Amino acid sequence: MLTQDNEMEFFRQFSLLVDIHFKEKHTVADYADILHLAPKTITHKFKKLGLAQPNDIIKDRIILEAKRLIIHTNKTAKEIAYQLGYEDPAYFNRLFTLKTGDSPVSFRKQYSRIL
């Protein structure tokens, strides 16, 4: 039971690091460096707990912030991409569309219709 608690504590620590660094660190390897672990070790710990892949947790946090910025600011998708640490706005656009099913522009239009 102690190991399960330790694993959950590890998950909490990982999630906290993602919350702090998601604008500049986008890969499991980035967080593995901070935690002094191999990326595969992190992935195995998550799998053992039946959690989402660590990469999904990172990307989901980035998308959550992107949605917030799209809804609450007038920033363009390109500006949001740069603010979230993406040098290639087209890559960010593809990621956003893949994760949400809508482009940033389409997401903004849909959300503004709801309000």
Side-chain angles (χ1 to χ4, degrees), residues 17-43:
L17 287 173
V18 171
D19 272 345
I20 293 167
H21 299 288
F22 70 91
K23 289 181 182 176
E24 59 280 340
K25 300 198 183 299
H26 298 162
T27 68
V28 177
D30 291 335
Y31 294 93
D33 286 345
I34 294 171
L35 294 165
H36 307 291
L37 295 169
K40 275 189 174 183
T41 302
I42 294 173
T43 302

Side-chain angles (χ1 to χ4, degrees), residues 55-87:
N55 190 52
D56 288 336
I57 290 170
I58 297 163
K59 299 302 185 230
D60 289 348
R61 181 61 182 93
I62 292 166
I63 296 303
L64 179 66
E65 183 67 8
K67 286 178 177 179
R68 190 187 72 74
L69 292 169
I70 289 168
I71 292 166
H72 297 292
T73 72
N74 292 322
K75 292 182 178 189
T76 65
K78 187 176 186 177
E79 290 170 323
I80 291 169
Y82 289 138
Q83 184 173 341
L84 294 176
Y86 289 92
E87 293 178 23

